[in-house]
Amino acid sequence: MPTAEQPLPNHHQNGKETAAPCRTCMDFKSWSKQQRKSLSTSSTGVTKAASDSEVAHRRADNTDDRSGGSPPNCPLDKEQLGRYTWGLLHTMAAYYPTTPSDADERNVRSFFTSFSKLYPCEYCAKDFQQELKDMPPETKSQHALSQWLCRIHNRVNVKLGKPEFDCTKVNERWRDGWLDGSCD
């Protein structure tokens, strides 16, 4: 994951390479400021009335329950994408077989390899590819995979200056619910 002192890579938007990062690689406020600046310097051909109508329509069918910086029904920013992605990955690991078949093990290793190449934040993808080289997935059981993913997630958290998660609690968090019953 990028830090303040590391430059962001070039990105692709609508098939064209740009120097500016896409939403999945920056926070919503910075992205939206960049977009406003970009729109004010170019002619878009969209009238204010049409764009106001679009915004009202999107807000009218708001069923999005996101917490964070961006308005509902908008593309995910980097923080949201990361949070939801970790949720998916941890949930996949939580429901991985206790005793996986050879095919299960191949599939999960293949998934993480493909995922690291397809993740929309280029810098994050490259960082995850390096993590996979340094610490390949442990696929012998649900416990092994969940613990491995927790350690990988904590390595990323350290890079981002975020707190580490207690890996002894992964199944409470991602599969069974907290022991205090708060998820019941």
Side-chain angles (χ1 to χ4, degrees):
M1 306 292 159
T3 61
E5 53 279 343
Q6 294 172 317
L8 290 168
N10 286 336
H11 297 273
H12 297 273
Q13 292 178 354
N14 299 325
K16 298 176 187 170
E17 191 158 317
T18 65
C22 61
R23 280 202 66 195
T24 59
C25 292
M26 66 191 311
D27 65 277
F28 179 75
K29 288 181 182 174
S30 300
W31 178 83
S32 99
K33 183 177 179 181
Q34 173 194 4
Q35 294 304 305
R36 280 193 304 276
K37 184 185 271 186
S38 173
L39 286 174
S40 70
T41 59
S42 68
S43 79
T44 62
V46 175
T47 66
K48 181 172 175 14
S51 63
D52 287 350
S53 170
E54 262 182 65
V55 168
H57 182 264
R58 283 194 308 266
R59 286 190 180 140
D61 22 71
N62 170 20
T63 56
D64 198 340
D65 185 19
R66 288 188 224 170
S67 60
S70 73
N73 301 321
C74 293
L76 300 177
D77 64 23
K78 180 178 140 187
E79 300 243 346
Q80 293 163 327
L81 179 63
R83 183 171 44 255
Y84 296 148
T85 298
W86 284 117
L88 171 66
L89 297 177
H90 283 292
T91 302
M92 286 174 56
Y95 289 92
Y96 185 69
T98 302
T99 309
S101 67
D102 290 342
D104 291 330
E105 290 190 62
R106 276 192 310 276
N107 288 339
V108 79
R109 284 191 302 267
S110 176
F111 169 81
F112 279 108
T113 298
S114 297
F115 168 82
S116 75
K117 294 175 182 174
L118 297 169
Y119 194 72
C121 171
E122 181 182 359
Y123 185 88
C124 303
K126 288 182 190 236
D127 185 69
F128 196 70
Q129 289 167 27
Q130 186 59 51
E131 290 292 349
L132 292 176
K133 285 179 187 168
D134 294 345
M135 231 167 74
E138 296 177 18
T139 61
K140 292 293 181 199
S141 68
Q142 182 275 328
H143 178 77
L145 184 63
S146 292
Q147 292 299 304
W148 167 81
L149 185 61
C150 186
R151 288 190 303 275
I152 291 286
H153 192 169
N154 278 338
R155 287 171 62 140
V156 171
N157 283 343
V158 166
K159 291 175 193 177
L160 296 173
K162 294 182 176 183
E164 293 183 62
F165 184 79
D166 177 357
C167 292
T168 65
K169 302 200 180 296
V170 292
N171 284 341
E172 277 183 75
R173 171 62 180 94
W174 300 105
R175 187 187 66 194
D176 304 327
W178 297 112
L179 294 178
D180 67 5
S182 61
C183 297
D184 298 338

